[in-house]
Amino acid sequence: MKCFEMKPGLEMDIIVARDVLGWRYSTEEEYAHLRLSTTWDGMRKVIEQMQRKGKCLTIINNLYGTYDVKFSGQKVYTRLSDLPHAVCTAAILTLEV
């Protein structure tokens, strides 16, 4: 499944944890507590890691309840209504995970 088709939750959290943050756990259950794509604290961890990789974040809060999000190096914005989900999607797309 392509990342822009993924819903926020465990599947996306596993990809973000492994490929964006570099975290490794031995079982899927160990990833369940992360909530990277569904919470503001999870989103903060992703943003901080991307900043360490030299990627700057742009967020545009649209009038219609959506956010346009991209990291430097990404050609197009990710538009979603949930900001943590949008940030995680943009991070995956930027790193071409």
Side-chain angles (χ1 to χ4, degrees):
M1 178 181 292
K2 296 180 181 173
C3 77
F4 53 83
E5 297 172 345
M6 278 188 204
K7 296 188 184 300
L10 183 60
E11 181 182 14
M12 179 172 271
D13 290 346
I14 290 171
I15 291 170
V16 171
R18 282 193 308 220
D19 300 333
V20 175
L21 300 176
W23 298 348
R24 301 283 186 256
Y25 295 106
S26 57
T27 65
E28 201 172 277
E29 291 79 30
E30 293 177 282
Y31 288 96
H33 74 283
L34 297 177
R35 297 190 174 121
L36 299 168
S37 62
T38 58
T39 66
W40 285 71
D41 185 55
M43 176 181 69
R44 176 189 57 79
K45 293 172 185 170
V46 173
I47 292 169
E48 287 174 352
Q49 180 63 19
M50 292 298 285
Q51 288 175 333
R52 282 192 282 278
K53 293 180 182 212
K55 303 294 183 181
C56 296
L57 177 65
T58 301
I59 299 172
I60 299 171
N61 186 356
N62 297 308
L63 296 174
Y64 304 106
T66 61
Y67 299 95
D68 290 342
V69 177
K70 76 174 188 170
F71 286 97
S72 55
Q74 190 178 353
K75 294 181 181 179
V76 296
Y77 284 91
T78 299
R79 177 173 284 172
L80 291 166
S81 60
D82 181 67
L83 191 54
H85 182 207
V87 167
C88 286
T89 301
I92 293 169
L93 290 171
T94 300
L95 299 176
E96 298 180 357
V97 175

